[in-house]
Amino acid sequence: MPKMKEVNAAEGAPKGIKRFELDAGKLTPAQKRWLKRGVSQPGGKLPLFDDQGRQFPVRTIRSCIDAGWAEPWFSNPIKPDWLVCKLTPDALEILTASQKNEER
């Protein structure tokens, strides 16, 4: 499971502000597949279902939330057990950059 390192971002940030640095190299293939789907979506919305119509495993979703890659977006009143999530701003930035590097 990816781990977050808490870093004091004194360079270029007001004193006392910290940000989380995400380690993209420690993503599992399932996590990477799920997260990459949100890069092209408005607001970084992450899908509930894969290309074959199967629901993404809750374990994958929760591990991404715990690692700081995704965050819950809103509660679904019809299906409260579904986790509707979006990419965190840091994750979106890192995944966008890594996608550009893969295209080269």
Side-chain angles (χ1 to χ4, degrees):
M1 178 176 348
K3 294 187 180 186
M4 291 187 299
K5 294 183 260 177
E6 194 171 321
V7 180
N8 188 351
E11 307 85 25
K15 195 172 188 174
I17 290 183
K18 296 178 182 178
R19 77 180 210 72
F20 290 98
E21 187 178 290
L22 302 169
D23 189 355
K26 295 186 179 180
L27 284 173
T28 66
Q31 290 170 327
K32 191 176 258 188
R33 270 192 309 276
W34 185 60
L35 293 168
K36 281 186 170 187
R37 298 270 309 272
V39 172
S40 61
Q41 296 300 312
K45 182 188 179 297
L46 291 161
L48 296 171
F49 302 96
D50 66 12
D51 293 333
Q52 285 77 42
R54 293 181 300 233
Q55 190 172 358
F56 277 97
V58 174
R59 182 176 176 191
T60 300
I61 296 169
R62 291 235 182 252
S63 66
C64 289
I65 292 170
D66 292 344
W69 286 99
E71 59 189 358
W73 198 347
F74 62 87
S75 297
N76 185 335
I78 297 171
K79 293 293 250 173
D81 55 325
W82 285 1
L83 287 169
V84 180
C85 297
K86 64 180 180 174
L87 292 170
T88 61
D90 287 341
L92 185 58
E93 181 181 324
I94 290 169
L95 289 167
T96 303
S98 71
Q99 204 170 43
K100 287 179 185 175
N101 288 338
E102 288 175 5
E103 291 173 0
R104 291 183 185 169

